[in-house]
Amino acid sequence: MYKLGIDVGGTNTDAAILDENLNVIVSTKTHTTKDVETGIKNAIHAVVNEKDINVNQITQAMLGTTQATNAIVERKNLGKVGILRIGYPATASILPYTEWPEDIAAILSNRYALIHGGYEFNGDPIVPFSEQEVKEKLTEWKGEIDGLAVVGVFSSINDDQEKRVAELAHEILGADFPVSTSSSIGSIGLIGRENATILNAALNKVIKNVTNGFSNALAKENITKAQEYLCQNDGTLMSLEYAAKYPILTIGSGPTNSIRGAAYLSKSKNALTVDIGGTTSDIGVLTNGFPRESSKAVTVGGVRTNFRMPDVLSVGLGGGTIVRVKDDGSVAIGPDSVGYAITEKALVFGGDTLTTTDIAVRLGLCQVGDPKLVESIDESIAQEAMAKIAEILEDGIDQMKTSAEDVDVILVGGGAVIAPTKLKGVKQIIKNEFGGVANAIGATIANIGGEYEKVYQYVEVKRSDALADVEKQAAQQAIMAGANPDTIKVVEVTEVPLAYAPGETTRVKTKVVGEIA
């Protein structure tokens, strides 16, 4: 019984096969291709044939991908979105798409309507909800939009109006028409939640291409008995059907896969992780075995959102980062990189560009390419460059630390060879032979996850009842995503009192994980 994990990055597509005891059997690193299917197929072909794996014994296949992120950043393959905001006239002063980049708003159609309805913070209606307005607008948009974003004021307290709009949309636009409701996607804060919901609705075409490409690539390699999953951005998995509803949850799954893979390879539950790729280094925080979630609003492709994202700091340092020697003899590192062209442009591969990998080879930190090609680099130059590399990493690590004490750092990624052996503020640097494909391993070992968030007034609802309700709803999300109900357990509960609201109003959020059903 084998598990197959694949992670598609901007430069490389990594794959790993683990046995039923989660031992790494084989791994590979291949170049990412323009079409997701070919790159995945190449990676699968490489790992299956290297160890002559019986494909009929691969029972689970997991995919982590940056396709959704890339689509938003590059403005490609996004669908036309209609937005129904339930909150007129209370929210008319700030319209949808406010502060969005003009180009992406135009691509998404800039089509929206404000509908009478919405709730106060205590659950009382602001004004009566108008079904007639919803029906008229949906009828007008029929055939002109690819997805619908439904956003209600304080739907985190009561989401029945959003659900009713979704029902009407399926009656008018079709039973399978993609509808995204904000109460199931974002957090408190109308505009950030709305923005996340719009992006989720726009990614419908993208996620279809990803899932179809994944399934086709598996089929072409005769892997027909494997359950298929996509990686979420909290270090857990979801079924393809669940991903079709919530494609935005794949954004940020790459760094979380690396963090989870680093945790597994090092057997650590609490540490900092540094994933050094070809262009950037992603520094994350491992807390109780899972990535720490960002507490700040996250901007994706110039759009400010408030849905969950891992707390990751990216710095411009990778294995392909260009090193320049100035006229005065000083050394500058990056931030530009040769990226996937490192095997053509780096000195150790016969190229003409000095990179951080060349520096690491010159100082004997790794054996890559032909070391004779970098013997002419002056050692003082190499030492100064390595000091600058260490400084960049140390500054990033300091920004992510929660105390002044030295921390353990787990070093992973294909570019990890450029890291020095010692760093200030670091207790120990942990490495593993499979660290170069930690992201693929992180995808392979993940469980199914579920998360739910709601606002309660503790003067009206007992705290114990509120916690039980959120746990039940989170478990239901995990079951929908493909978890075995008997294995679900709570891994995190947070309560945040809302000081601006009376009645001990509190935001409660619970995260659960379970084994694959």
Side-chain angles (χ1 to χ4, degrees), residues 16-254:
I17 292 180
L18 278 64
D19 64 17
E20 56 192 9
N21 297 316
L22 300 184
N23 298 310
V24 181
I25 303 300
V26 61
S27 64
T28 191
K29 186 179 289 289
T30 61
H31 285 308
T32 296
T33 57
K34 287 186 177 181
D35 67 303
V36 63
E37 182 178 324
T38 302
I40 294 173
K41 181 185 177 299
N42 292 343
I44 295 173
H45 187 81
V47 287
V48 166
N49 285 277
E50 184 173 333
K51 290 284 186 176
D52 197 24
I53 298 290
N54 182 351
V55 293
N56 290 322
Q57 291 179 279
I58 299 176
T59 58
Q60 295 167 3
M62 296 81 165
L63 174 69
T65 176
T66 60
Q67 294 297 308
T69 309
N70 295 345
I72 295 170
V73 172
E74 298 174 9
R75 318 303 201 225
K76 291 181 179 178
N77 301 318
L78 298 174
K80 300 288 185 183
V81 179
I83 306 163
L84 287 181
R85 183 197 287 176
I86 312 166
Y88 186 81
T91 66
S93 59
I94 301 178
L95 299 176
Y97 289 117
T98 298
E99 293 189 341
W100 278 56
E102 291 182 6
D103 59 344
I104 189 171
I107 291 171
L108 269 56
S109 81
N110 209 356
R111 187 181 278 109
Y112 58 84
L114 272 59
I115 304 299
H116 282 85
Y119 290 101
E120 302 280 5
F121 65 87
N122 61 357
D124 292 339
I126 300 174
V127 296
F129 171 60
S130 175
E131 283 198 11
Q132 185 59 35
E133 291 178 11
V134 174
K135 292 176 181 178
E136 290 174 359
K137 193 54 64 175
L138 292 176
T139 302
E140 176 188 332
W141 289 347
K142 190 171 184 178
E144 296 182 359
I145 58 174
D146 303 308
L148 181 69
V150 185
V151 188
V153 178
F154 273 111
S155 60
S156 53
I157 290 178
N158 190 340
D159 62 355
D160 63 350
Q161 293 179 356
E162 286 192 354
K163 288 181 176 177
R164 181 55 184 153
V165 173
E167 290 174 357
L168 292 171
H170 289 140
E171 290 175 10
I172 296 171
L173 302 177
D176 297 327
F177 191 83
V179 179
S180 300
T181 54
S182 73
S183 57
S184 61
I185 294 172
S187 185
I188 294 175
L190 178 67
I191 301 302
R193 175 160 46 88
E194 180 176 76
N195 290 349
T197 308
I198 296 168
L199 290 178
N200 189 74
L203 290 168
N204 176 58
K205 289 182 178 179
V206 175
I207 207 66
K208 277 186 178 179
N209 290 337
V210 170
T211 55
N212 289 340
F214 184 34
S215 298
N216 291 341
L218 290 170
K220 288 179 179 178
E221 290 298 317
N222 297 315
I223 300 173
T224 58
K225 297 183 179 180
Q227 295 172 287
E228 300 169 28
Y229 299 92
L230 290 189
C231 297
Q232 300 192 58
N233 57 12
D234 64 351
T236 62
L237 300 171
M238 57 183 167
S239 66
L240 299 192
E241 294 77 14
Y242 193 81
K245 294 181 180 178
Y246 306 109
I248 199 169
L249 297 182
T250 65
I251 293 177
S253 62

Side-chain angles (χ1 to χ4, degrees), residues 307-501:
F307 74 103
R308 69 171 193 228
M309 281 287 282
D311 190 6
V312 174
L313 174 67
S314 293
V315 296
L317 176 68
T321 298
I322 298 173
V323 179
R324 294 181 176 85
V325 181
K326 299 180 181 179
D327 294 339
D328 60 1
S330 62
V331 176
I333 306 291
D336 49 341
S337 168
V338 297
Y340 64 85
I342 186 171
T343 53
E344 301 171 7
K345 295 187 176 182
L347 298 183
V348 289
F349 295 109
D352 58 1
T353 305
L354 178 61
T355 68
T356 51
T357 298
D358 298 318
I359 297 298
V361 173
R362 173 64 179 84
L363 295 176
L365 295 179
C366 61
Q367 295 292 322
V368 177
D370 185 357
K372 293 181 180 179
L373 297 177
V374 293
E375 287 179 351
S376 60
I377 300 174
D378 189 276
E379 184 170 353
S380 63
I381 296 294
Q383 292 289 359
E384 185 180 348
M386 185 53 61
K388 292 285 180 66
I389 292 171
E391 185 179 330
I392 293 171
L393 292 174
E394 288 164 357
D395 286 347
I397 290 169
D398 280 344
Q399 289 184 55
M400 298 300 287
K401 288 166 66 174
T402 56
S403 71
E405 296 181 3
D406 289 355
V407 295
D408 291 338
V409 166
I410 309 167
L411 196 60
V412 296
V417 294
I418 70 168
T421 55
K422 292 184 179 181
L423 292 167
K424 294 176 183 177
V426 175
K427 190 186 306 180
Q428 63 172 330
I429 296 176
I430 304 169
K431 295 183 179 181
N432 185 280
E433 62 176 312
F434 297 111
V437 291
N439 46 9
I441 293 171
T444 313
I445 64 165
N447 287 326
I448 302 292
E451 189 172 287
Y452 191 78
E453 175 183 314
K454 193 171 180 178
V455 176
Y456 298 88
Q457 286 187 299
Y458 282 168
V459 295
E460 301 288 342
V461 180
K462 289 183 180 179
R463 176 175 178 268
S464 58
D465 291 343
L467 295 175
D469 182 45
V470 173
E471 181 181 336
K472 177 182 177 182
Q473 297 294 338
Q476 188 60 39
Q477 292 293 323
I479 293 169
M480 288 171 57
N484 180 344
D486 297 331
T487 64
I488 291 174
K489 61 181 180 180
V490 177
V491 295
E492 185 179 3
V493 178
T494 57
E495 297 175 88
V496 180
L498 304 182
Y500 57 81

